[in-house]
C-alpha cells in the first residue's frame, strides 16, 4: 500500500490539469488573483509525505519521494523558480532486525528490481492527492480582501461529463 499526503499551495490556475483535462484553461475566467502581480504565477510550495507499508530501505524511500514530481506534473504544473518544495517518504514495513544476541541481524526488503509498481503508485497517489485537496477546498478571503475561489465542482463535473 502506498499513500500520499500533501499540502497543495503551488502552480498557477491556468496550468491545472486533472485526468488529462485542461481545467485551468477551461475555468480561467474565475481567477480573481490573476490580476495581482505581487506573486508570480506558479509560485508557492508543495509538501508531500509518501508512506508505505512495504519493507523498504532508506534509499528506496528516497527513490519513492523523487517520484512525487511526476505526479505533480500530471496536474499541469511545470514547477516554478519561486516554489519551495519538500518531499519525504517512509516505510512502516521494515521491522527492527532480529539476530543472535544482537550481534547479527536479518533485514527483509523489496529488491530494487521490483520497485516499479511502487513508483507508479506514488505518481498516481500524488495526482489523486492534488485532486482531493482541490475538491475539498473552500473559497477563502485573505488579507486586503484578496479572494481565492474554491474549485467550481459543478463546472468541473460538467467538463468531465462532456469528455469523449
Amino acid at each position: 500500500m502506498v499513500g500520499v499526503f500533501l499540502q497543495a499551495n503551488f502552480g498557477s490556475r491556468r496550468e491545472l490539469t486533472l485526468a488529462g483535462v485542461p481545467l485551468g484553461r477551461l475555468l480561467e475566467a474565475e481567477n480573481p488573483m490573476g490580476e495581482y502581480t505581487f506573486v508570480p504565477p506558479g509560485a508557492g510550495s508543495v509538501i508531500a509525505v509518501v508512506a508505505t507499508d512495504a519493507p523498504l530501505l532508506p534509499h528506496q524511500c528516497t527513490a519513492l519521494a523523487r517520484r512525487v514530481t511526476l505526479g505533480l506534473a500530471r496536474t499541469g504544473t511545470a514547477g516554478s523558480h519561486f516554489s519551495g518544495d519538500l518531499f519525504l517518504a517512509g516505510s512502516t514495513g521494515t521491522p527492527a532486525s532480529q539476530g543472535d544476541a544482537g550481534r547479527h541481524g536479518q533485514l527483509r526488503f523489496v529488491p530494487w528490481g521490483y520497485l516499479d509498481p511502487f513508483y507508479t503508485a506514488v505518481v498516481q497517489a500524488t495526482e489523486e492527492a492534488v485532486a482531493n485537496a482541490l475538491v475539498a477546498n473552500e473559497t477563502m478571503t485573505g488579507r486586503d480582501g484578496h479572494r481565492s475561489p474554491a474549485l467550481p465542482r459543478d463546472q468541473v463535473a460538467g467538463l468531465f461529463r462532456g469528455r469523449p
Side-chain angles (χ1 to χ4, degrees):
M1 186 171 308
V2 173
V4 174
F5 177 75
L6 65 82
Q7 171 267 335
N9 181 31
F10 67 94
S12 71
R13 184 175 299 258
R14 180 161 177 62
E15 293 175 327
L16 177 60
T17 301
L18 289 178
V21 178
L23 295 176
R25 288 186 301 224
L26 298 172
L27 300 172
E28 194 168 23
E30 178 71 17
N31 188 6
M33 296 301 286
E35 64 195 58
Y36 297 101
T37 57
F38 58 90
V39 177
S45 301
V46 58
I47 299 171
V49 178
V50 179
T52 182
D53 60 355
L56 300 180
L57 299 172
H59 284 81
Q60 292 174 315
C61 289
T62 300
L64 289 188
R66 288 186 178 131
R67 277 23 185 225
V68 169
T69 55
L70 299 172
L72 294 175
R74 284 187 172 188
T75 69
T77 188
S80 165
H81 172 72
F82 296 98
S83 185
D85 305 328
L86 178 64
F87 310 131
L88 305 169
S91 167
T92 62
T94 307
S97 63
Q98 302 294 320
D100 42 280
R103 294 180 47 145
H104 297 92
Q106 285 187 322
L107 188 61
R108 295 175 56 95
F109 61 94
V110 176
W112 280 95
Y114 293 91
L115 287 182
D116 285 352
F118 295 95
Y119 298 154
T120 300
V122 170
V123 172
Q124 292 172 348
T126 299
E127 181 182 23
E128 183 67 23
V130 171
N132 289 342
L134 291 172
V135 168
N137 75 354
E138 299 294 332
T139 297
M140 296 181 291
T141 302
R143 191 182 78 183
D144 298 328
H146 298 298
R147 183 176 155 273
S148 181
L151 188 68
R153 296 170 192 90
D154 292 341
Q155 284 181 278
V156 170
L159 292 169
F160 277 106
R161 278 193 296 274
R163 260 177 93 176

